[in-house]
Every structure is written in structure tokens, then in C-alpha cells.
Amino acid sequence: MPKRKPRPQKRRRRSIMAFEMVRLDRTATEPLHEQLYRQIRDELKSGGFSEGSSRLPSSRALATDQGISRSTVRLALSKLHAEGYLCSKPGSGTFVANLLPETFLTAEQPKANQPIQRPVRISDRVRAIPDTRVGNQFDLGATGAGAGISLVASIPAVDEFPIAVWERLRAQVLAKKGVNLLRYSSNRGDVDLRKAIAAYLCDFRAARCHPDQIVIVAGMQQAMLISAMAVLNPGEAAWIEDPCYQQTRRVLGLAGVKIVPKEVDAHGIDIVRSPKEPLPRMIYVTPSHQFPLGVTMSFQRRTDLLDFARAHNAFIFEDDYDAEFRFVGPPLPSLQGIDNASRVIYAGTVSKILCPSLRLGYVVAPEQLVDSFVKIRSAMDQHSSPIEQATLARFITEGFFLSHIKRMRKIYAERRDFFIKQFNELLGDRFTLQVPEAGLNIVAWLKREEDFPIIKRITSEIGVRPSALSFFCIQAKLTPAFVFGFAAWTPTQIRESLVKLASTLRNQGKNLSYGRQSR
Ligand SMILES: Cc1ncc(COP(=O)(O)O)c(C=O)c1O
């Protein structure tokens, strides 16, 4: 017998509206088709449906769902058609009409769109977050770098992320662990990942910890929030570096902490305390590479800081966000590794090493704090994605993590050298670069302070967008400077951006009226 050709499978289009709220009462005097008509009409009137988004189920499906005959359904639908609630598209199905009859009959706006009459009361907690962004400014991501914007600080080269390897490992862990990765999981984090991170930190950051001290978190911000909530009551003081990573202030603001800004000198955070200053319960520092100035904390300052914390019963929060990218001299041990008094909460993130969208980080907590941290995480959002955690564990244990760091360090070193050379050639007359030993950013100090407004304006206009150093300052009054990122752009892109900035500055500099206006 000749084999029948398999029929091409029709793609079944699913209806978007289910009308699950329809309840027909067979004992009522109102006929079933009337009940169906009325309930569908009311649902259409109350919802924000539009022709583009809302396909109705077929009359057969509706009839089956409701246990009624198709002719009853057809009666109800034809009335809705006739009144303008529905329209048909041949070959596609029945849809909600774009403009429902009510739109024509009443001048009133639907309820959902009514403007709020009274100002909404927002909590003090929201006001305590120092963040002036509004609306779609929140859609640009933490660093505000959209397409075509370059030299933004703190952005890693995510296009170098080994997606294929990650996908392969992800598929492997899913095949091996299956549904176990789909359930709620440990509030501490994946046990294999905690083991892998503990081993990495002991070997490469000279940390002293075991896997039970590690809590996997959703990045550095969550590490800060959990730590602040665990060791500070609202209103108690935390010292932070000034200038400082802007998210630190926002997170501590959210935690209701009193922020005490402390100057940063050539050795790191200044820990001399004036009699007026409250004693800190927590001191936030970036010892490997101060953000944004780039200073590496000296050994003397590290021991002074540890002594201070011990003497005053304070915790030190060590944000080790990009220690892997050190370009001069041997890697420095973490502060956690030289702490003998369990005063350091160490935190790391994969945002710079791998990519920020993974939202994965880790805290090494002093033993007495571990359960409190986990308790907060459990109350907050339980845990990070088990699938990504298991994938990261494999990524580390199979050696990809270290080889990726090595490869990226080489790429970043080349980009950094190229940036410094090109910058000095093209913009050396206006800026002095302060080249740090580590990290993905470089501070450029202005040679003439009066250039600041015009440079600020030009950089935002041409899309070459270093951050003004003042953006990171709380009370610090530093001479004007800009923080440039170099890591996420190829040498060609770096050169193009610097040429654009230098030539625009040259042209605008000639145009004195522009210069005067912008001051
Ligand atoms: C000082 C500092 N810490 C941490 C981070 C990253 O934090 P997260 O892990 O929340 O992405 C950054 C990012 O720029 C940073 O500058």
C-alpha cells in the first residue's frame, strides 16, 4: 500500500482570552445565551483588551468549556458582534473590537485610566534612597549605557562572555539534575557552588573560609543590603568611602542606615574619627581597588582598619568587586584573609568577571552572622536561580572560570594600555590621567577646572560618556575629573570615541559663545 504523505501539521493558534470567570446558572430564568452574552460583555467592558491582543476562543471551545450547545454560544456571540463588541478576521478568528461601544457612548474615561485625584503617599523609605532618576531612566540599566554610548565606567566586555560554553554546561546540569533545579532551593545557595567559591577564594584571594560561611546572593547590592539589615538597626551609622559607588548609598538608604561619608586618601579610607561622628556599626570599603578613585588600600591602613573595627565592635564590608583585574604587581590578599577577629564580611560578584545580568554574587560571612544572613535572604526572595547557580558551579569546577579570568585580564590589559596611550596623545592637553593598578576605570583630572561644564555637556551630547567624578561624591570637594571606562570597547572603538571627544572639544573650544553659554 502506498504510504500516505504525513499531513503538514497546522499550527494551532491559541485564544488569548479564556473567559474563565463565566458562570452559567442553569436554574435561572434568564436564558443561557443571554447570561453568556451579558457576562462576556461585562468582562470586555472591564478589561484593557484591544483588537491586536485579544482573540476569542472558538465557539466549539467555548461550548465545550461551558458544557452548552454551540448554537447557544453562537447566539451570544452574534449579539456581541451586532453591538460592536467583537469583530471577525477571515481566517484568523474572532477578536475584541478595537473601540468598544462604550467609548462612543460615554465621555468618561474607563476606570483604570482615571487620573489620581490626591497625591499618592509614598513611604519615607523611598525618599531615603538618594536617586533622582525617573521614568525610563530606570530602563537603561545601572550604568546607563545604551547602544552607541561609549567609555562608560564599570562596564565589562560582555561580548566576550563564553555563551556557548555556558549554554552547554546549563544543558548538562539540567539533564543531570532535572526537576530538582525547578524547585525552591537552599536559601544559602547551591552547595556545589558554595564549595567551588570557597576553594576559589582561599586559593586566589587568600581568604580564610569554608563553604558553610558562604551565602550566594543576587549580586553585590543584595550582599550589602543583607549585611546592613543584619548588623545595623535603622538610624545606626555606617561609614562609607567618599567618593563612593553610588549604589552603596542607595542600598544603605533603603536599609534606613545613617550614612557617614569618610574621605579617601592615598592609602584608602580615612578612619580618623572626629568626636562628633557616630561610631559605625559597619564600614564599607573597596580595598583592592577603591571605586571610583582606584586607590589600593595600603597594608598599614588595612591593619589599622581591622584594629579599629575590633576595638569598636564594628563590621567591615569588603566589596571585592573587580580584584581579579589587577595589572600591576602580584594580586593582593583580601582583607578577609588577614582578619583574625571575624570582623570582615567579604563579598564578591560575577558582574565584572562574567556579566552583570546573571545577578550572582557571594558573601563570606563571619560564622556568627551566617544564619542571620540566610534568614534575611529567606524573607527577601528565597534564593537565586538554581539553574544558573548549578551552571556557575560547573563553570568554576571545570576550569572555565579561571581561564576566562586569565583571557579577560589579557584583553583588558591591552585595552587599558591602548586607552592610556591614545588618551594622552589626543586629550593630554586637557586632562591628567591617574592610572590605577587595577580595575576597569581610569580617572582623568581636568587641567583647567573651567573646562568642566563644556566637557560635561559635550560628553552627554556625543555619547562618549564618562561619569563626572562629582556624581560619586557625598561631601568630598575634589577638583573636577571624569571617570572613564575602557573595558567594554575594542581598540578601534576606543580610538573613535577619543578622536570624537578631542575633535568636538577642539571645535567647541574655538566657539567661545558656546563655552560661555554652557557655564
Ligand atoms: C564598587 C562596586 N561594587 C560592586 C559592583 C557590582 O555590583 P553588582 O554585583 O550588584 O552588579 C560595582 C559595579 O560597577 C561597583 O562599582
Side-chain angles (χ1 to χ4, degrees), residues 154 219-221 245 284 286 291 319 321 349 351-352 356 359:
S154 300
M220 188 62 71
Q221 277 177 237
Y245 177 40
Y284 166 89
T286 44
F291 184 88
D319 174 349
Y321 65 109
T349 171
S351 289
K352 307 293 161 202
R359 303 316 300 142

